[in-house]
Amino acid sequence: MALHSFALQQGIFTKLSSGTLTDVDGTSITSKVFDDVPEGTGYPYVVIGEETATNQGTKDKDANEHTLTMHVWSQYRGRKEIKNIMSQIYTSLHNSAINLSGATLVNIRHEFEQTLLESDGLTRHGVMRFRAVVFDN
């Protein structure tokens, strides 16, 4: 059995970076999807963040349930941009088909989202969580 955690991250990265994510002005941000943000990256951008995985296997089938956190960062005044990007991520991932190497994604579902204003008073932080079930091939 394999955990397939990185295969799931790669599948999500491919889905988001080959999609149509845009900022509030309609400019593509598909090249601004990261798991480690390069120094000097301008806003807005998306980070594939923290993950937990729990064994959901049965006697004859290996499976894991993954909880994945997505972060959206923006310095646009107000929440319009961050909510727009979060909506695009929801549309791209919730109940979508994502190809995984060596595994099968059973489903991926949106669990919650939250928007925050960082302590600098300018930076907006959107947090989204998705739950994915992955079977070992």
Side-chain angles (χ1 to χ4, degrees), residues 15-32:
K15 186 87 164 177
L16 294 177
S17 63
S18 64
T20 57
L21 287 179
T22 61
D23 67 14
V24 75
D25 297 322
T27 303
S28 175
I29 62 165
T30 57
S31 65
K32 293 175 139 188

Side-chain angles (χ1 to χ4, degrees), residues 72-84:
V72 181
W73 297 91
S74 172
Q75 287 191 335
Y76 183 84
R77 294 290 184 182
R79 289 182 169 81
K80 180 179 180 179
E81 182 170 72
I82 205 160
K83 287 185 173 187
N84 182 36

Side-chain angles (χ1 to χ4, degrees), residues 15-136:
K15 186 87 164 177
L16 294 177
S17 63
S18 64
T20 57
L21 287 179
T22 61
D23 67 14
V24 75
D25 297 322
T27 303
S28 175
I29 62 165
T30 57
S31 65
K32 293 175 139 188
V33 177
F34 306 105
D35 72 346
D36 184 47
V37 182
E39 192 172 327
T41 298
Y43 293 95
Y45 57 85
V46 176
V47 177
I48 300 171
E50 302 78 14
E51 176 187 356
T52 60
T54 56
N55 186 334
Q56 297 296 317
T58 63
K59 185 176 181 180
D60 61 346
K61 192 73 168 169
D62 288 328
N64 283 286
E65 185 174 74
H66 301 260
T67 303
L68 303 127
T69 305
M70 306 293 297
H71 299 274
V72 181
W73 297 91
S74 172
Q75 287 191 335
Y76 183 84
R77 294 290 184 182
R79 289 182 169 81
K80 180 179 180 179
E81 182 170 72
I82 205 160
K83 287 185 173 187
N84 182 36
I85 295 169
M86 291 168 79
S87 177
Q88 293 172 66
I89 292 170
Y90 174 91
T91 299
S92 293
L93 297 181
H94 181 73
N95 282 333
S96 70
I98 299 174
N99 293 323
L100 305 182
S101 176
T104 301
L105 177 69
V106 176
N107 66 18
I108 182 166
R109 300 193 45 87
H110 176 262
E111 285 195 325
F112 84 91
E113 64 185 58
Q114 179 179 15
T115 59
L116 307 161
L117 179 62
E118 294 296 301
S119 61
D120 65 5
L122 177 64
T123 306
R124 310 286 177 175
H125 180 191
V127 180
M128 303 178 78
R129 188 168 66 206
F130 291 86
R131 186 171 305 272
V133 177
V134 177
F135 283 144
D136 195 30

